[in-house]
Amino acid sequence: MWTLDDVLRSAARKFAGREALVGGGRRLSFADLDAAADDAAARLQAAGITRGDAVAIHGRNTVDWVVAFFGAVRAGAVAVPINHKLTVPETAYILEHSGATLWLVDRDLAGDGSAAGAARMLMLDDGDGGLFAGPAPAAPPAPVTLDADEPVEILYTSGTTGRPKGCLHSHANVLLAGTGSSLVYGLGLTDRVLLAMPVWHSFPLNNMLINAVYVGATVVLLPEYHPLHFVQTMQDERCTLFFGAPIAFLMPPRMLPHFDSFDLSHVRAWIYGGGPIDAVTARMLAERYRSDRFYQVFGMTETGPTGTALYPEEQVTKAGSIGRYAVAGADLKVMRDETTEAGPGETGEIWMRCQSMMLGYHNDPEATAAAFHDGWYRSGDLARIDADGYLFIVDRLKDMIVTGGENVYSKEVEDVLAAHPAVAEAAVIGTPHEEWGETVTAFIVPKADATLDEAAVTTHCATALARYKIPRIIRLVDSLPRTPTGKLQKFLLRQGG
């Protein structure tokens, strides 16, 4: 099995002059990307990076981010992509937990550098203190013999305890994740993929970017999603394929009066994930985008990601479903309990096994053991099976909220709320939202004789949480519903939410 470095080296040999990356006014061929990875690897080795070291990469979708990633791989390091929307405490936790020895960060995200902890900090640019500053190394990087089964990524995803968990993936995991999903929508040599969703997310990174290099496709980078920049770039760069959260598709027709004037006729696959789209919306999107080539993908970071798919011909007839079958290289079942599979009309937890499954949670053997049963990953997602065998997500055992394609765990937000001196207790749920899928909603019981308002809660949360995790709906209540034994009854909050 190849490593990710083998993938890039092979692509550079086969597709040397073909365009590999476009972004920020730069255009790199596959040969250029390979040479840039060599340069980055040599610089990283000069900075003390050796095989197995964790290198955190913290930035937006840029050519420098991609070069740093492949450079880290070539140097034998384990890449730790970091969400650029996180606060200083959130970033500091990931840097510490991952054991990162080096923190490569966009200059405007570095702040005062206090998040670094024990990690050395270098800017993700060619300015002062930057990884790419100064002349190119005099010698190529020292060769590192890699194995396809050794770790290459730690991808962080929030856990039920409120602290992020690091999904440890091998080279083989990553390649098999991209291969399995690409068989759904046929990513190939002539494709031009727009990467506007954050590259630190598992699907854009593993299934889009890395798999595009694998097959020789071109990747066009937008630093961040913006409705106008999205459709303008799709048109100008003649992109053929795009992946995004449902909100990424909904915003342009609603916000751009001249949306219909953009030429998107060359796009052959619109892929969405992170939430379902109902039948009315599916019809609207098909009409406004003048395309019947929409796909939904469902998976999780732990699985590569890989999972299921809803195909173009199913978008309206099975709207809201995540699909019927697992994609190639994966299998799933819906379990009523640990021994009984659910059938049509029944609900159970989705269990998965796949070739791209993570090696485990980094430095968390207990969580790893709890996540698996006889080799099957217990997703925590509850699904109903309809009469035709299609799966519909109905709830989440792990209380995860999906808002605009971003995952938010209620426990993490609840812990921050509980730290406010005027809060007695709090519960957080996801409330259905037409555009964002769900919005974070907090029910707060103030302490007796304390003064508390929504503005104070929002200000407090902004010091510890990324913006998308901050509750948008805040309800001050006298008490929270509980069972006689004191367990919180969130389903009652949802019913009245």
Side-chain angles (χ1 to χ4, degrees), residues 169-478:
H169 282 288
S170 69
H171 296 259
N173 293 161
V174 173
L175 288 180
L176 289 167
T179 302
S181 68
S182 69
L183 291 174
V184 172
Y185 42 82
L187 182 64
L189 181 66
T190 60
D191 276 313
R192 296 178 65 81
V193 180
L194 177 64
L195 209 62
M197 297 293 100
V199 68
W200 39 259
H201 269 311
S202 57
F203 196 93
L205 175 58
N206 293 345
N207 301 46
M208 294 280 98
L209 172 65
I210 293 171
N211 202 42
V213 175
Y214 191 31
V215 301
T218 302
V219 174
V220 179
L221 300 163
L222 273 184
E224 289 191 277
Y225 172 87
H226 182 282
L228 176 58
H229 301 159
F230 158 50
V231 292
Q232 188 75 56
T233 305
M234 289 293 292
Q235 172 184 269
D236 294 350
E237 289 292 338
R238 305 292 291 175
C239 294
T240 60
L241 188 147
F242 171 73
F243 165 81
I247 188 66
F249 295 92
L250 293 170
M251 290 178 72
R254 293 176 179 176
M255 295 181 62
L256 305 177
H258 58 304
F259 173 75
D260 292 335
S261 68
F262 287 95
D263 179 9
L264 303 175
S265 59
H266 44 278
V267 183
R268 64 167 196 79
W270 299 104
I271 307 164
Y272 66 94
I277 288 178
D278 61 50
V280 173
T281 302
R283 291 190 184 96
M284 182 275 290
L285 291 176
E287 178 182 350
R288 296 303 303 276
Y289 282 82
R290 300 184 292 279
S291 173
D292 61 357
R293 304 299 296 170
F294 280 83
Y295 299 78
Q296 182 192 183
V297 291
F298 169 83
M300 54 280 303
T301 305
E302 286 85 348
T303 63
T306 194
T308 62
L310 192 70
Y311 292 82
E313 64 273 16
E314 302 167 323
Q315 292 296 312
V316 173
T317 59
K318 293 297 179 181
S321 171
I322 60 170
R324 183 178 183 184
Y325 305 112
V327 302
D331 195 7
L332 69 78
K333 58 184 177 180
V334 179
M335 300 297 292
R336 289 168 48 193
D337 53 46
E338 290 190 351
T339 60
T340 310
E341 285 196 46
E346 296 181 329
T347 296
E349 183 186 8
I350 295 175
W351 290 16
M352 292 187 62
R353 62 182 179 186
C354 57
Q355 294 176 318
S356 57
M357 187 66 70
M358 67 174 179
L359 301 176
Y361 292 117
H362 179 63
N363 283 344
D364 201 340
E366 291 184 1
T368 301
F372 291 89
H373 183 85
D374 289 340
W376 290 82
Y377 172 70
R378 303 185 61 162
S379 72
D381 291 314
L382 293 174
R384 172 181 58 85
I385 306 173
D386 76 0
D388 299 317
Y390 285 79
L391 278 59
F392 294 78
I393 301 294
V394 297
D395 205 351
R396 297 179 182 89
L397 294 178
K398 299 178 181 179
D399 282 332
M400 185 176 73
I401 300 163
V402 181
T403 177
E406 301 288 359
N407 295 343
V408 179
Y409 278 80
S410 60
K411 181 66 164 55
E412 181 183 11
V413 183
E414 288 163 356
D415 287 346
V416 171
L417 292 170
H420 191 288
V423 173
E425 58 179 344
V428 172
I429 64 170
T431 299
H433 190 281
E434 181 180 357
E435 295 181 356
W436 296 96
E438 292 178 304
T439 191
V440 182
T441 301
F443 292 82
I444 300 173
V445 179
K447 290 182 179 177
D449 302 322
T451 300
L452 187 66
D453 58 28
E454 293 184 15
V457 172
T458 300
T459 300
H460 169 73
C461 288
T463 65
L465 295 171
R467 287 183 61 189
Y468 65 86
K469 299 179 183 178
I470 297 173
R472 295 297 187 264
I473 300 174
I474 299 170
R475 297 188 177 172
L476 303 180
V477 296
D478 295 329

Side-chain angles (χ1 to χ4, degrees), residues 12-141:
R13 283 192 294 270
K14 292 184 291 189
F15 315 122
R18 289 179 57 85
E19 202 165 59
L21 285 181
V22 177
R26 300 168 66 184
R27 293 180 181 271
L28 271 65
S29 68
F30 282 95
D32 293 334
L33 178 56
D34 183 57
D38 245 11
D39 175 82
R43 292 174 185 273
L44 289 169
Q45 289 178 343
I49 295 302
T50 60
R51 180 176 180 171
D53 286 346
V55 174
I57 311 175
H58 187 186
R60 300 172 182 82
N61 300 355
T62 63
V63 170
D64 283 341
W65 196 104
V66 177
V67 169
F69 177 87
F70 280 107
V73 170
R74 185 158 292 177
V78 178
V80 185
I82 296 182
N83 180 340
H84 74 271
K85 303 175 186 179
L86 298 184
T87 63
V88 170
E90 292 169 319
T91 300
Y93 174 78
I94 290 176
L95 289 170
E96 186 277 330
H97 184 266
S98 66
T101 57
L102 182 62
W103 177 30
L104 303 177
V105 57
D106 279 359
R107 195 168 292 270
D108 68 315
L109 300 177
D112 61 4
S114 60
R120 179 185 176 187
M121 180 175 69
L122 288 176
M123 300 302 139
L124 197 52
D125 59 29
D126 59 2
D128 291 342
L131 172 66
F132 304 107

